[in-house]
Amino acid sequence: MLSTKQKSTLIALGVFFWLAFAIAIKYTPILFNQSTTHATLFVASIPVVWLLVSLLCRLAKLAPHQILTGICIAVGAASLCDGLALTWLSSLYGDNDLHVRLGAAYILWGVGLFLTVALIRTKAESD
């Protein structure tokens, strides 16, 4: 079970990281308009997400058995923001439809990556 403080921290961090990535997508169009750089970005995200999961665990003071639940809360908050923004404020990600689509794909990749890393970390730290 997570405390109210942990949940609040994770929701706030999920929204913060989503906004940071959305702004980064908008202001780095070169990364989201070419398939080569986009593929490289996907691969480069793996160690970054591993570190971000560690940061979220530390800031929310998650015990090993709380990692998956905690990351689900953070990612859930970020995903809700992403869905709303893509529907009603897609210009947050950029002005070009391809750029917005590739940026949205990157955020979706990040969601899956966060959940996968959380699952691996939960298993590894619970053993």
PDB file of all heavy atoms in Angstrom, residues 18-44:
ATOM      1  N   TRP A  18       6.098  14.167 -17.848  1.00  0.00           N
ATOM      2  CA  TRP A  18       5.355  14.235 -19.107  1.00  0.00           C
ATOM      3  C   TRP A  18       5.528  15.615 -19.744  1.00  0.00           C
ATOM      4  O   TRP A  18       5.835  15.715 -20.931  1.00  0.00           O
ATOM      5  CB  TRP A  18       3.862  13.940 -18.889  1.00  0.00           C
ATOM      6  CG  TRP A  18       3.063  14.430 -20.046  1.00  0.00           C
ATOM      7  CD1 TRP A  18       2.947  13.850 -21.270  1.00  0.00           C
ATOM      8  CD2 TRP A  18       2.342  15.662 -20.123  1.00  0.00           C
ATOM      9  NE1 TRP A  18       2.185  14.641 -22.103  1.00  0.00           N
ATOM     10  CE2 TRP A  18       1.809  15.755 -21.414  1.00  0.00           C
ATOM     11  CE3 TRP A  18       2.100  16.693 -19.211  1.00  0.00           C
ATOM     12  CZ2 TRP A  18       1.034  16.839 -21.814  1.00  0.00           C
ATOM     13  CZ3 TRP A  18       1.334  17.766 -19.617  1.00  0.00           C
ATOM     14  CH2 TRP A  18       0.807  17.833 -20.906  1.00  0.00           C
ATOM     15  N   LEU A  19       5.341  16.675 -18.967  1.00  0.00           N
ATOM     16  CA  LEU A  19       5.460  18.027 -19.498  1.00  0.00           C
ATOM     17  C   LEU A  19       6.877  18.297 -19.993  1.00  0.00           C
ATOM     18  O   LEU A  19       7.073  18.888 -21.069  1.00  0.00           O
ATOM     19  CB  LEU A  19       5.048  19.055 -18.450  1.00  0.00           C
ATOM     20  CG  LEU A  19       4.995  20.510 -18.912  1.00  0.00           C
ATOM     21  CD1 LEU A  19       4.040  20.675 -20.087  1.00  0.00           C
ATOM     22  CD2 LEU A  19       4.587  21.412 -17.762  1.00  0.00           C
ATOM     23  N   ALA A  20       7.859  17.846 -19.243  1.00  0.00           N
ATOM     24  CA  ALA A  20       9.256  18.038 -19.657  1.00  0.00           C
ATOM     25  C   ALA A  20       9.525  17.344 -20.988  1.00  0.00           C
ATOM     26  O   ALA A  20      10.157  17.922 -21.891  1.00  0.00           O
ATOM     27  CB  ALA A  20      10.198  17.505 -18.578  1.00  0.00           C
ATOM     28  N   PHE A  21       9.030  16.125 -21.144  1.00  0.00           N
ATOM     29  CA  PHE A  21       9.233  15.405 -22.403  1.00  0.00           C
ATOM     30  C   PHE A  21       8.431  16.025 -23.535  1.00  0.00           C
ATOM     31  O   PHE A  21       8.908  16.098 -24.675  1.00  0.00           O
ATOM     32  CB  PHE A  21       8.912  13.917 -22.244  1.00  0.00           C
ATOM     33  CG  PHE A  21      10.035  13.141 -21.627  1.00  0.00           C
ATOM     34  CD1 PHE A  21      10.000  12.800 -20.288  1.00  0.00           C
ATOM     35  CD2 PHE A  21      11.135  12.758 -22.376  1.00  0.00           C
ATOM     36  CE1 PHE A  21      11.040  12.093 -19.700  1.00  0.00           C
ATOM     37  CE2 PHE A  21      12.185  12.045 -21.812  1.00  0.00           C
ATOM     38  CZ  PHE A  21      12.136  11.711 -20.466  1.00  0.00           C
ATOM     39  N   ALA A  22       7.222  16.489 -23.251  1.00  0.00           N
ATOM     40  CA  ALA A  22       6.415  17.146 -24.289  1.00  0.00           C
ATOM     41  C   ALA A  22       7.110  18.410 -24.798  1.00  0.00           C
ATOM     42  O   ALA A  22       7.181  18.648 -26.007  1.00  0.00           O
ATOM     43  CB  ALA A  22       5.021  17.477 -23.742  1.00  0.00           C
ATOM     44  N   ILE A  23       7.648  19.199 -23.902  1.00  0.00           N
ATOM     45  CA  ILE A  23       8.370  20.415 -24.293  1.00  0.00           C
ATOM     46  C   ILE A  23       9.642  20.057 -25.055  1.00  0.00           C
ATOM     47  O   ILE A  23       9.981  20.689 -26.060  1.00  0.00           O
ATOM     48  CB  ILE A  23       8.651  21.296 -23.057  1.00  0.00           C
ATOM     49  CG1 ILE A  23       7.334  21.878 -22.535  1.00  0.00           C
ATOM     50  CG2 ILE A  23       9.650  22.407 -23.392  1.00  0.00           C
ATOM     51  CD1 ILE A  23       7.436  22.534 -21.172  1.00  0.00           C
ATOM     52  N   ALA A  24      10.336  19.021 -24.588  1.00  0.00           N
ATOM     53  CA  ALA A  24      11.549  18.581 -25.288  1.00  0.00           C
ATOM     54  C   ALA A  24      11.216  18.128 -26.709  1.00  0.00           C
ATOM     55  O   ALA A  24      11.967  18.412 -27.657  1.00  0.00           O
ATOM     56  CB  ALA A  24      12.227  17.452 -24.514  1.00  0.00           C
ATOM     57  N   ILE A  25      10.096  17.446 -26.876  1.00  0.00           N
ATOM     58  CA  ILE A  25       9.680  17.007 -28.216  1.00  0.00           C
ATOM     59  C   ILE A  25       9.437  18.218 -29.110  1.00  0.00           C
ATOM     60  O   ILE A  25       9.865  18.249 -30.259  1.00  0.00           O
ATOM     61  CB  ILE A  25       8.426  16.115 -28.126  1.00  0.00           C
ATOM     62  CG1 ILE A  25       8.813  14.756 -27.538  1.00  0.00           C
ATOM     63  CG2 ILE A  25       7.756  15.952 -29.480  1.00  0.00           C
ATOM     64  CD1 ILE A  25       7.637  13.909 -27.097  1.00  0.00           C
ATOM     65  N   LYS A  26       8.765  19.212 -28.578  1.00  0.00           N
ATOM     66  CA  LYS A  26       8.470  20.411 -29.378  1.00  0.00           C
ATOM     67  C   LYS A  26       9.749  21.111 -29.833  1.00  0.00           C
ATOM     68  O   LYS A  26       9.839  21.550 -30.980  1.00  0.00           O
ATOM     69  CB  LYS A  26       7.607  21.384 -28.580  1.00  0.00           C
ATOM     70  CG  LYS A  26       7.279  22.638 -29.391  1.00  0.00           C
ATOM     71  CD  LYS A  26       6.307  23.534 -28.689  1.00  0.00           C
ATOM     72  CE  LYS A  26       5.979  24.704 -29.576  1.00  0.00           C
ATOM     73  NZ  LYS A  26       4.567  24.916 -29.718  1.00  0.00           N
ATOM     74  N   TYR A  27      10.720  21.221 -28.946  1.00  0.00           N
ATOM     75  CA  TYR A  27      11.900  22.020 -29.255  1.00  0.00           C
ATOM     76  C   TYR A  27      13.094  21.220 -29.789  1.00  0.00           C
ATOM     77  O   TYR A  27      14.186  21.774 -29.920  1.00  0.00           O
ATOM     78  CB  TYR A  27      12.294  22.851 -28.032  1.00  0.00           C
ATOM     79  CG  TYR A  27      11.247  23.909 -27.763  1.00  0.00           C
ATOM     80  CD1 TYR A  27      10.400  23.818 -26.674  1.00  0.00           C
ATOM     81  CD2 TYR A  27      11.079  24.973 -28.640  1.00  0.00           C
ATOM     82  CE1 TYR A  27       9.416  24.773 -26.444  1.00  0.00           C
ATOM     83  CE2 TYR A  27      10.102  25.935 -28.425  1.00  0.00           C
ATOM     84  CZ  TYR A  27       9.276  25.829 -27.323  1.00  0.00           C
ATOM     85  OH  TYR A  27       8.293  26.765 -27.114  1.00  0.00           O
ATOM     86  N   THR A  28      12.885  19.972 -30.101  1.00  0.00           N
ATOM     87  CA  THR A  28      13.924  19.170 -30.749  1.00  0.00           C
ATOM     88  C   THR A  28      13.346  18.477 -31.995  1.00  0.00           C
ATOM     89  O   THR A  28      13.348  17.253 -32.084  1.00  0.00           O
ATOM     90  CB  THR A  28      14.515  18.119 -29.788  1.00  0.00           C
ATOM     91  OG1 THR A  28      13.445  17.308 -29.283  1.00  0.00           O
ATOM     92  CG2 THR A  28      15.286  18.758 -28.659  1.00  0.00           C
ATOM     93  N   PRO A  29      12.871  19.255 -32.959  1.00  0.00           N
ATOM     94  CA  PRO A  29      12.218  18.640 -34.125  1.00  0.00           C
ATOM     95  C   PRO A  29      13.143  17.726 -34.925  1.00  0.00           C
ATOM     96  O   PRO A  29      12.669  16.774 -35.543  1.00  0.00           O
ATOM     97  CB  PRO A  29      11.754  19.838 -34.959  1.00  0.00           C
ATOM     98  CG  PRO A  29      12.569  20.983 -34.483  1.00  0.00           C
ATOM     99  CD  PRO A  29      12.892  20.705 -33.050  1.00  0.00           C
ATOM    100  N   ILE A  30      14.429  17.966 -34.896  1.00  0.00           N
ATOM    101  CA  ILE A  30      15.366  17.125 -35.652  1.00  0.00           C
ATOM    102  C   ILE A  30      15.287  15.668 -35.192  1.00  0.00           C
ATOM    103  O   ILE A  30      15.462  14.744 -35.971  1.00  0.00           O
ATOM    104  CB  ILE A  30      16.806  17.662 -35.561  1.00  0.00           C
ATOM    105  CG1 ILE A  30      17.725  16.895 -36.489  1.00  0.00           C
ATOM    106  CG2 ILE A  30      17.342  17.577 -34.149  1.00  0.00           C
ATOM    107  CD1 ILE A  30      17.946  17.568 -37.784  1.00  0.00           C
ATOM    108  N   LEU A  31      14.992  15.460 -33.915  1.00  0.00           N
ATOM    109  CA  LEU A  31      14.912  14.095 -33.394  1.00  0.00           C
ATOM    110  C   LEU A  31      13.627  13.381 -33.788  1.00  0.00           C
ATOM    111  O   LEU A  31      13.549  12.160 -33.708  1.00  0.00           O
ATOM    112  CB  LEU A  31      15.029  14.112 -31.868  1.00  0.00           C
ATOM    113  CG  LEU A  31      16.342  14.623 -31.295  1.00  0.00           C
ATOM    114  CD1 LEU A  31      16.277  14.658 -29.773  1.00  0.00           C
ATOM    115  CD2 LEU A  31      17.505  13.765 -31.759  1.00  0.00           C
ATOM    116  N   PHE A  32      12.634  14.134 -34.211  1.00  0.00           N
ATOM    117  CA  PHE A  32      11.330  13.532 -34.487  1.00  0.00           C
ATOM    118  C   PHE A  32      10.884  13.689 -35.936  1.00  0.00           C
ATOM    119  O   PHE A  32       9.711  13.601 -36.233  1.00  0.00           O
ATOM    120  CB  PHE A  32      10.284  14.112 -33.527  1.00  0.00           C
ATOM    121  CG  PHE A  32      10.605  13.793 -32.111  1.00  0.00           C
ATOM    122  CD1 PHE A  32      11.278  14.700 -31.315  1.00  0.00           C
ATOM    123  CD2 PHE A  32      10.301  12.555 -31.580  1.00  0.00           C
ATOM    124  CE1 PHE A  32      11.612  14.394 -30.010  1.00  0.00           C
ATOM    125  CE2 PHE A  32      10.646  12.233 -30.277  1.00  0.00           C
ATOM    126  CZ  PHE A  32      11.294  13.161 -29.492  1.00  0.00           C
ATOM    127  N   ASN A  33      11.819  13.893 -36.841  1.00  0.00           N
ATOM    128  CA  ASN A  33      11.464  13.994 -38.252  1.00  0.00           C
ATOM    129  C   ASN A  33      12.289  13.075 -39.133  1.00  0.00           C
ATOM    130  O   ASN A  33      12.074  13.023 -40.321  1.00  0.00           O
ATOM    131  CB  ASN A  33      11.612  15.444 -38.735  1.00  0.00           C
ATOM    132  CG  ASN A  33      10.532  16.330 -38.151  1.00  0.00           C
ATOM    133  OD1 ASN A  33       9.425  15.879 -37.914  1.00  0.00           O
ATOM    134  ND2 ASN A  33      10.865  17.583 -37.901  1.00  0.00           N
ATOM    135  N   GLN A  34      13.232  12.357 -38.543  1.00  0.00           N
ATOM    136  CA  GLN A  34      14.079  11.460 -39.318  1.00  0.00           C
ATOM    137  C   GLN A  34      14.091  10.098 -38.653  1.00  0.00           C
ATOM    138  O   GLN A  34      14.307   9.999 -37.450  1.00  0.00           O
ATOM    139  CB  GLN A  34      15.498  12.021 -39.413  1.00  0.00           C
ATOM    140  CG  GLN A  34      15.556  13.373 -40.082  1.00  0.00           C
ATOM    141  CD  GLN A  34      16.964  13.949 -40.037  1.00  0.00           C
ATOM    142  OE1 GLN A  34      17.917  13.250 -39.740  1.00  0.00           O
ATOM    143  NE2 GLN A  34      17.080  15.223 -40.351  1.00  0.00           N
ATOM    144  N   SER A  35      13.882   9.052 -39.435  1.00  0.00           N
ATOM    145  CA  SER A  35      13.773   7.712 -38.856  1.00  0.00           C
ATOM    146  C   SER A  35      15.058   7.266 -38.162  1.00  0.00           C
ATOM    147  O   SER A  35      15.011   6.567 -37.164  1.00  0.00           O
ATOM    148  CB  SER A  35      13.371   6.708 -39.930  1.00  0.00           C
ATOM    149  OG  SER A  35      14.336   6.679 -40.963  1.00  0.00           O
ATOM    150  N   THR A  36      16.219   7.675 -38.660  1.00  0.00           N
ATOM    151  CA  THR A  36      17.478   7.262 -38.052  1.00  0.00           C
ATOM    152  C   THR A  36      17.632   7.849 -36.662  1.00  0.00           C
ATOM    153  O   THR A  36      17.938   7.131 -35.702  1.00  0.00           O
ATOM    154  CB  THR A  36      18.678   7.696 -38.917  1.00  0.00           C
ATOM    155  OG1 THR A  36      18.479   7.205 -40.226  1.00  0.00           O
ATOM    156  CG2 THR A  36      19.967   7.170 -38.361  1.00  0.00           C
ATOM    157  N   THR A  37      17.427   9.140 -36.528  1.00  0.00           N
ATOM    158  CA  THR A  37      17.575   9.761 -35.212  1.00  0.00           C
ATOM    159  C   THR A  37      16.476   9.286 -34.263  1.00  0.00           C
ATOM    160  O   THR A  37      16.706   9.166 -33.070  1.00  0.00           O
ATOM    161  CB  THR A  37      17.562  11.295 -35.299  1.00  0.00           C
ATOM    162  OG1 THR A  37      16.374  11.716 -35.953  1.00  0.00           O
ATOM    163  CG2 THR A  37      18.777  11.811 -36.025  1.00  0.00           C
ATOM    164  N   HIS A  38      15.302   9.016 -34.803  1.00  0.00           N
ATOM    165  CA  HIS A  38      14.202   8.546 -33.972  1.00  0.00           C
ATOM    166  C   HIS A  38      14.533   7.174 -33.389  1.00  0.00           C
ATOM    167  O   HIS A  38      14.323   6.932 -32.197  1.00  0.00           O
ATOM    168  CB  HIS A  38      12.914   8.507 -34.798  1.00  0.00           C
ATOM    169  CG  HIS A  38      11.672   8.531 -33.979  1.00  0.00           C
ATOM    170  ND1 HIS A  38      11.303   9.594 -33.205  1.00  0.00           N
ATOM    171  CD2 HIS A  38      10.713   7.599 -33.801  1.00  0.00           C
ATOM    172  CE1 HIS A  38      10.166   9.333 -32.589  1.00  0.00           C
ATOM    173  NE2 HIS A  38       9.796   8.120 -32.934  1.00  0.00           N
ATOM    174  N   ALA A  39      15.078   6.284 -34.206  1.00  0.00           N
ATOM    175  CA  ALA A  39      15.455   4.948 -33.728  1.00  0.00           C
ATOM    176  C   ALA A  39      16.556   5.042 -32.676  1.00  0.00           C
ATOM    177  O   ALA A  39      16.521   4.341 -31.654  1.00  0.00           O
ATOM    178  CB  ALA A  39      15.901   4.079 -34.896  1.00  0.00           C
ATOM    179  N   THR A  40      17.520   5.906 -32.899  1.00  0.00           N
ATOM    180  CA  THR A  40      18.607   6.099 -31.935  1.00  0.00           C
ATOM    181  C   THR A  40      18.058   6.622 -30.616  1.00  0.00           C
ATOM    182  O   THR A  40      18.480   6.194 -29.535  1.00  0.00           O
ATOM    183  CB  THR A  40      19.657   7.076 -32.507  1.00  0.00           C
ATOM    184  OG1 THR A  40      20.115   6.564 -33.752  1.00  0.00           O
ATOM    185  CG2 THR A  40      20.809   7.270 -31.562  1.00  0.00           C
ATOM    186  N   LEU A  41      17.117   7.538 -30.696  1.00  0.00           N
ATOM    187  CA  LEU A  41      16.497   8.099 -29.495  1.00  0.00           C
ATOM    188  C   LEU A  41      15.785   7.008 -28.687  1.00  0.00           C
ATOM    189  O   LEU A  41      15.870   6.986 -27.459  1.00  0.00           O
ATOM    190  CB  LEU A  41      15.517   9.202 -29.892  1.00  0.00           C
ATOM    191  CG  LEU A  41      14.830   9.948 -28.768  1.00  0.00           C
ATOM    192  CD1 LEU A  41      15.847  10.705 -27.920  1.00  0.00           C
ATOM    193  CD2 LEU A  41      13.804  10.906 -29.345  1.00  0.00           C
ATOM    194  N   PHE A  42      15.091   6.112 -29.376  1.00  0.00           N
ATOM    195  CA  PHE A  42      14.403   5.022 -28.686  1.00  0.00           C
ATOM    196  C   PHE A  42      15.403   4.187 -27.888  1.00  0.00           C
ATOM    197  O   PHE A  42      15.176   3.892 -26.718  1.00  0.00           O
ATOM    198  CB  PHE A  42      13.670   4.131 -29.698  1.00  0.00           C
ATOM    199  CG  PHE A  42      12.271   4.572 -30.015  1.00  0.00           C
ATOM    200  CD1 PHE A  42      11.975   5.890 -30.305  1.00  0.00           C
ATOM    201  CD2 PHE A  42      11.247   3.655 -30.042  1.00  0.00           C
ATOM    202  CE1 PHE A  42      10.686   6.286 -30.610  1.00  0.00           C
ATOM    203  CE2 PHE A  42       9.948   4.031 -30.341  1.00  0.00           C
ATOM    204  CZ  PHE A  42       9.667   5.350 -30.622  1.00  0.00           C
ATOM    205  N   VAL A  43      16.499   3.816 -28.507  1.00  0.00           N
ATOM    206  CA  VAL A  43      17.509   2.982 -27.842  1.00  0.00           C
ATOM    207  C   VAL A  43      18.182   3.752 -26.703  1.00  0.00           C
ATOM    208  O   VAL A  43      18.382   3.217 -25.612  1.00  0.00           O
ATOM    209  CB  VAL A  43      18.555   2.468 -28.858  1.00  0.00           C
ATOM    210  CG1 VAL A  43      19.695   1.757 -28.159  1.00  0.00           C
ATOM    211  CG2 VAL A  43      17.886   1.549 -29.878  1.00  0.00           C
ATOM    212  N   ALA A  44      18.511   5.010 -26.951  1.00  0.00           N
ATOM    213  CA  ALA A  44      19.179   5.829 -25.933  1.00  0.00           C
ATOM    214  C   ALA A  44      18.289   6.055 -24.718  1.00  0.00           C
ATOM    215  O   ALA A  44      18.784   6.356 -23.623  1.00  0.00           O
ATOM    216  CB  ALA A  44      19.602   7.161 -26.536  1.00  0.00           C
TER     217      ALA A  44
END
